[in-house]
């Protein structure tokens, strides 16, 4: 039997190919941060070129913030172009922290962090070309959890789970 490739239309975002959605709720608005993939009909592997933000108040109507919020090239030489992967945004101390998976220029994947005064970005490298975690090939899919006592925790990894307590500045473990 011949293998057949099937491509489905993205049910939420139709203006571009997106992957790795990461939600953040503020008030009555959901912010959806995604990677932006090249056209999968042309390229049969993931080629994530940057990250974008979309919003909704009703989970039906979506607004493209029309803002390129971050590119791997924004990390001062620590991340390869087109090696962007999953991310997570969190608000703390009146700033927005964006934790992203990048393909490191030193090999492997790494977790980098960027910061912005606005939830839709643009975000700037918070560690001036340094990785927050990594590189290591299984350092992907970062997320942050803030405990009841206010301690922020960074979690990442696949197939192993890694974690560290974040310092108050949200850019150091």
């Amino acid at each position: 039997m011949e293998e057949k490739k099937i491509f489905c239309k993205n049910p939420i975002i139709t203006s571009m190919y997106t992957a790795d959605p990461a939600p953040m709720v503020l008030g009555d608005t959901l912010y959806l941060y995604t990677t932006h993939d090249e056209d999968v009909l042309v390229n049969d592997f993931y080629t994530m070129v940057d990250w974008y933000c979309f919003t909704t108040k009703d989970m039906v109507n979506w607004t493209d913030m029309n803002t390129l919020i971050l590119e791997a090239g924004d990390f001062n030489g620590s991340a390869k172009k087109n090696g962007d992967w999953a991310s997570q945004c969190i608000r703390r101390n009146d700033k927005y922290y964006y934790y992203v998976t990048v393909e490191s220029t030193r090999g492997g994947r790494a977790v980098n962090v960027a910061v912005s005064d606005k939830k839709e970005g643009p975000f700037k490298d918070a560690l001036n070309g340094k990785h927050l975690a990594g590189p290591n090939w299984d350092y992907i899919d970062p997320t942050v959890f803030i405990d009841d006592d206010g301690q922020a925790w960074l979690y990442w990894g696949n197939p192993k789970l890694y974690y560290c307590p974040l310092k108050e500045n949200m850019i150091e473990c």
Side-chain angles (χ1 to χ4, degrees), residues 1-170:
M1 178 177 245
E2 183 180 328
E3 184 179 315
K4 185 176 181 182
K5 288 185 180 181
I6 299 173
F7 296 96
C8 297
K9 187 175 181 180
N10 189 323
I12 296 174
I13 309 303
T14 59
S15 58
M16 67 176 72
Y17 291 99
T18 62
D20 302 319
M24 180 177 68
V25 177
L26 294 173
D28 65 349
T29 304
L30 178 120
Y31 294 82
L32 189 67
Y33 298 86
T34 70
T35 51
H36 170 213
D37 196 359
E38 286 187 349
D39 187 338
V40 295
L41 296 176
V42 174
N43 184 5
D44 65 355
F45 188 71
Y46 307 107
T47 304
M48 308 299 184
V49 296
D50 41 35
W51 293 274
Y52 280 80
C53 180
F54 303 87
T55 65
T56 185
K57 290 182 184 261
D58 61 11
M59 299 295 289
V60 174
N61 300 296
W62 290 85
T63 301
D64 180 344
M65 296 303 292
N66 291 319
T67 304
L68 168 66
I69 62 174
L70 188 65
E71 296 178 285
D74 295 334
F75 285 111
N76 297 316
S78 69
K80 290 183 180 177
K81 184 178 179 177
N82 300 340
D84 311 342
W85 288 69
S87 63
Q88 183 68 60
C89 188
I90 191 160
R91 180 176 185 253
R92 186 148 202 207
N93 304 325
D94 295 323
K95 296 226 181 258
Y96 297 88
Y97 297 91
Y98 200 41
Y99 301 88
V100 300
T101 303
V102 298
E103 187 171 345
S104 176
T105 54
R106 298 183 308 202
R109 299 215 189 283
V111 177
N112 281 14
V113 60
V115 66
S116 178
D117 292 325
K118 296 191 249 178
K119 54 196 154 288
E120 68 276 8
F123 288 82
K124 302 288 182 201
D125 182 0
L127 295 175
N128 197 26
K130 295 179 184 167
H131 302 306
L132 178 57
N136 181 322
W137 281 109
D138 54 357
Y139 278 25
I140 64 171
D141 300 339
T143 195
V144 173
F145 173 75
I146 300 178
D147 227 333
D148 290 341
D149 66 2
Q151 175 63 58
W153 296 86
L154 175 67
Y155 294 88
W156 71 96
N158 186 2
K160 296 178 183 174
L161 173 64
Y162 301 91
Y163 67 95
C164 69
L166 287 166
K167 292 185 178 180
E168 185 64 27
N169 66 15
M170 300 296 284

